[in-house]
Amino acid sequence: MAGVGEARAAPSADHAPLGIICGGGALPFAVADSVLRRGRPVFLLAIDGWADRAAVARYPHAWLGLGQYGRLKRVARAAGCREMVCIGTVGRPSLRALRLDWGGLRVLPQLSGLFRGGDDHLLAGVTRILEAHGFRVLGAHEVAPEIVAREGPLGRMTAPPQARADAARGFALLDAIGPFDVGQAAVVAENRVLAIEAADGTDAMLARIAQMRAERRIQSAAGIGVLVKAPKPGQDRRIDLPAVGPATVAAVGAAGLGGLALRAGGVIVAEPAAVAAAADAAGLFVVGFAAGASEPP
Amino acid sequence: MAGVGEARAAPSADHAPLGIICGGGALPFAVADSVLRRGRPVFLLAIDGWADRAAVARYPHAWLGLGQYGRLKRVARAAGCREMVCIGTVGRPSLRALRLDWGGLRVLPQLSGLFRGGDDHLLAGVTRILEAHGFRVLGAHEVAPEIVAREGPLGRMTAPPQARADAARGFALLDAIGPFDVGQAAVVAENRVLAIEAADGTDAMLARIAQMRAERRIQSAAGIGVLVKAPKPGQDRRIDLPAVGPATVAAVGAAGLGGLALRAGGVIVAEPAAVAAAADAAGLFVVGFAAGASEPP
């Protein structure tokens, strides 16, 4: 089984600490642990208001406001970081929440354009600014390849033929909406698109499916239907790959679907063992599909 | 102002009663009233479980189950109908709700394929079956052109430049997802796609926007953002055009958006005067945009 992530592993011979710009959620720590397991130190640049305070405290770290670009550069350099990963959720900030410092003010002409348009725009802009100042920006899939979805089933269940057809339809739909910098997930059941993610997020979308099912507005039987997740086509995979975890599996089960279809190499599975265990316990499939393939191996 | 609907008016010299296959909602009666105002009689073929019983009783009518195709043909012919319009909401039925009769059983090989895939598939199939049996199927926009959105503002407010840009982005998005037989509406604010309609419907989508705004997950100020509605590209406009009414205007206001952008000639405005009054009272714009044009006249 050729893991796409694996093929991209070890892109760096840099043994200095990896700087991890941490947004919200558990992903930054899954990445940090993976990097530490490889023997490389990490330094967390934790975004105030987003990163989990208790979890951050377990690692060497500094806190910063989203607009404190001067502080970011300073502490990253002081910690010896030359390579950076940006990971975790960060909402579009209010200007006050930015807490602009002088370094932030200097890049403001670049920053101010970032907060219009989709999230992709925001993150791509931050990446550009970091690179303009001499940092090398890596993707989570490069520094922690074992947390990226691989081709084939994760866990015991495989996807039945209708689910594979639904997955193919979902991947084609996500490709079609990619240019609009919108969601990276959809739900398809028996060839019908039930929901498309936008600003609401995957969890809210799955909650809607559960509600529509409770209102008998979904005709497909329980256990039919697929959550499909993929990165945007042409997306810079260093930024904001879609992610799933055990909670996603639980939400897919609560929505009465049959399982998850993930674009191999393009979706983060933060805790693969826990995801497989949750899927097996619930009788759900979690299957990675290579781009262009409509059938898993 | 060249109303697109107007240019398509009076497609028929048939003075026999127009058969109106009625699903749920107020639209079938807006169409019936419009046809009656033109001096042509109507005969309602009301779908049991969907059409509004009290409203149907005001017109010559017969009731039928969704699968009672034999009865449909019989009563339509007895009433002298040669031309038909299908309008109103009809969900995907359970087999029991179909109440199949012998005429329905005969077309079952055609019917059975209809209940998989999107709604478009279902309605296009019904249209094909009616035509195979010698009925002429017309669109609501043909028999009642005054209830179809025209180019330019309806009511006093016009769309500001950002709203026109958001509308153009929304129309392009709806064109991109058209091949997937999915929703015909989206919400865009300051270039960001906030929501895409799928099986949930426009009202549920707008309720989500209101909720996300209450949770402070939408950064755009109140009064910014556009509900965009359009038919599917290449859609047979005889079937299931998207529709708005005064309740849609109220929901757009409750979601904190600035107004509605409608594809001229492709969206039904069931009660234009009531929609204009509701929009003016709420300070919202309702603007029709010609296909291919990003600016209204």
Side-chain angles (χ1 to χ4, degrees), chain A residues 167-181:
Chain A
R169 190 165 172 83
F171 287 126
L173 171 68
L174 295 179
D175 282 353
I177 65 174
F180 297 92
D181 194 10

Side-chain angles (χ1 to χ4, degrees), chain A residues 92 162 180 200 217 219, chain B residues 92 116 200 217 219:
Chain A
R92 195 165 309 244
Q162 175 68 54
F180 297 92
D200 47 345
R217 292 173 58 200
Q219 302 292 333
Chain B
R92 196 165 309 244
R116 298 172 76 86
D200 48 343
R217 291 173 59 200
Q219 302 292 332

Side-chain angles (χ1 to χ4, degrees), chain B residues 237-250:
Chain B
R237 295 199 174 182
R238 292 175 304 177
I239 48 174
D240 190 36
L241 283 186
V244 298
T248 317
V249 174

Side-chain angles (χ1 to χ4, degrees), chain B:
Chain B
M1 202 168 68
V4 173
E6 216 155 38
R8 294 189 183 174
S12 169
D14 189 345
H15 298 291
L18 177 70
I20 302 180
I21 302 181
C22 294
L27 274 181
F29 314 109
V31 169
D33 292 342
S34 167
V35 172
L36 288 169
R37 276 196 300 271
R38 286 185 164 66
R40 183 174 180 184
V42 298
F43 188 85
L44 273 51
L45 298 140
I47 308 281
D48 202 10
W50 291 96
D52 178 331
R53 298 200 79 85
V56 165
R58 300 201 305 263
Y59 308 83
H61 70 274
W63 287 95
L64 47 142
L66 256 184
Q68 296 186 300
Y69 189 74
R71 176 165 162 73
L72 167 64
K73 271 197 307 186
R74 204 161 53 244
V75 298
R77 284 177 182 159
C81 303
R82 291 181 295 265
E83 296 186 329
M84 304 282 239
V85 167
C86 304
I87 190 156
T89 52
V90 176
R92 196 165 309 244
S94 68
L95 196 58
R96 195 162 62 97
L98 270 180
R99 289 172 47 196
L100 279 168
D101 68 6
W102 290 106
L105 275 178
R106 245 171 254 126
V107 294
L108 192 62
Q110 291 155 271
L111 277 175
S112 61
L114 302 181
F115 300 116
R116 298 172 76 86
D119 290 318
D120 202 23
H121 193 184
L122 172 63
L123 293 158
V126 169
T127 300
R128 272 197 309 275
I129 293 171
L130 285 169
E131 292 192 322
H133 289 90
F135 293 104
R136 184 172 179 219
V137 181
L138 300 174
H141 63 294
E142 293 173 304
V143 299
E146 75 274 27
I147 64 165
V148 176
R150 298 179 188 196
E151 209 174 335
L154 180 69
R156 280 197 306 271
M157 303 287 289
T158 56
Q162 176 66 54
R164 290 203 295 270
D166 287 341
R169 189 165 174 83
F171 286 126
L173 171 69
L174 295 178
D175 283 353
I177 65 174
F180 297 92
D181 195 11
V182 66
Q184 295 162 292
V187 174
V188 184
E190 294 182 299
N191 214 32
R192 188 172 189 220
V193 178
L194 297 182
I196 306 171
E197 180 180 330
D200 48 343
T202 303
D203 292 345
M205 179 180 67
L206 289 170
R208 273 192 274 146
I209 298 290
Q211 191 185 340
M212 281 193 277
R213 193 179 292 281
E215 293 166 357
R216 307 178 70 84
R217 291 173 59 200
I218 293 179
Q219 302 292 332
S220 296
I224 304 293
V226 183
L227 169 67
V228 186
K229 290 202 83 151
K232 288 163 201 141
Q235 176 177 337
D236 181 345
R237 295 199 174 182
R238 292 175 304 177
I239 48 174
D240 190 36
L241 283 186
V244 298
T248 317
V249 174
V252 165
L257 304 176
L260 292 74
L262 312 176
R263 175 62 76 217
V267 176
I268 291 177
V269 183
E271 304 160 81
V275 166
D280 286 348
L284 302 173
F285 59 84
V286 179
V287 176
F289 291 78
S294 59
E295 303 267 325

